[in-house]
């Protein structure tokens, strides 16, 4: 089974930037769509963005499309989420996950498997 490992979470000040990375053990036809999600305690996991590893096509949730950029490096088998102009409400545990499919509005729903273990982002002064 494909394995995913997130990294890059940190404490950052409001207005700052951060790049998260998702290392994927392999890109397969069953894991050709990689998504980034976040979750805070007591709330549902929120889908932020996803990318097709084959052609780089992307989808962004409205809440982040002007501040977050998703990208992939097929040689390194990584999918990065570059976040800018961070706000305290961006504080969460961020996860990447894989599934088969194409980018679209369904990337906002956590119907992905498998998942990484998460990396924590804290935005505060």
């Amino acid at each position: 089974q494909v394995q995913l490992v997130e990294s890059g979470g940190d404490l950052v000040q409001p207005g700052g930037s951060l790049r998260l990375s998702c290392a994927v053990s392999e890109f397969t036809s069953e894991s050709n769509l990689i998504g980034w999600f976040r979750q805070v305690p007591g709330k549902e996991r929120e889908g932020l963005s996803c990318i097709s590893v084959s052609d780089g096509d992307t989808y962004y949730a409205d809440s982040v499309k002007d501040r977050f950029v998703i990208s992939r490096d097929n040689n390194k088998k990584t999918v990065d989420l570059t976040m800018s102009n961070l706000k305290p409400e961006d504080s969460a545990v961020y996860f990447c996950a894989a599934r088969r499919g194409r980018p679209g509005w369904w990337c906002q729903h956590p119907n992905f498997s498998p998942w990484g273990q998460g990396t924590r982002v804290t935005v505060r002064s």
Side-chain angles (χ1 to χ4, degrees):
Q1 183 173 341
V2 172
Q3 295 181 327
L4 303 97
V5 179
E6 303 94 336
S7 62
D10 205 346
L11 170 64
V12 62
Q13 293 188 344
S17 299
L18 199 61
R19 185 175 70 182
L20 306 180
S21 188
C22 174
V24 186
S25 59
E26 59 179 326
F27 291 145
T28 70
S29 60
E30 296 301 313
S31 64
N32 61 357
L33 182 66
I34 307 296
W36 275 99
F37 298 77
R38 66 186 178 191
Q39 189 169 26
V40 297
K43 291 191 176 182
E44 293 185 354
R45 195 163 292 190
E46 176 188 9
L48 306 173
S49 182
C50 61
I51 188 167
S52 166
V53 298
S54 59
D55 62 13
D57 195 17
T58 60
Y59 173 85
Y60 293 93
D62 287 344
S63 59
V64 300
K65 66 180 179 181
D66 295 328
R67 299 187 296 125
F68 292 8
V69 176
I70 193 170
S71 60
R72 98 281 192 209
D73 185 325
N74 285 14
N75 290 327
K76 296 181 179 178
K77 295 187 179 60
T78 57
V79 174
D80 289 352
L81 185 69
T82 303
M83 307 182 293
S84 60
N85 191 22
L86 285 164
K87 307 173 183 180
E89 51 264 41
D90 293 316
S91 297
V93 177
Y94 284 70
F95 299 88
C96 61
R99 62 169 288 176
R100 180 185 180 95
R102 295 288 303 165
W105 59 266
W106 44 89
C107 289
Q108 294 184 240
H109 298 277
N111 187 24
F112 281 65
S113 179
W115 291 80
Q117 83 290 346
T119 186
R120 183 174 299 276
V121 174
T122 303
V123 184
R124 69 166 184 253
S125 300

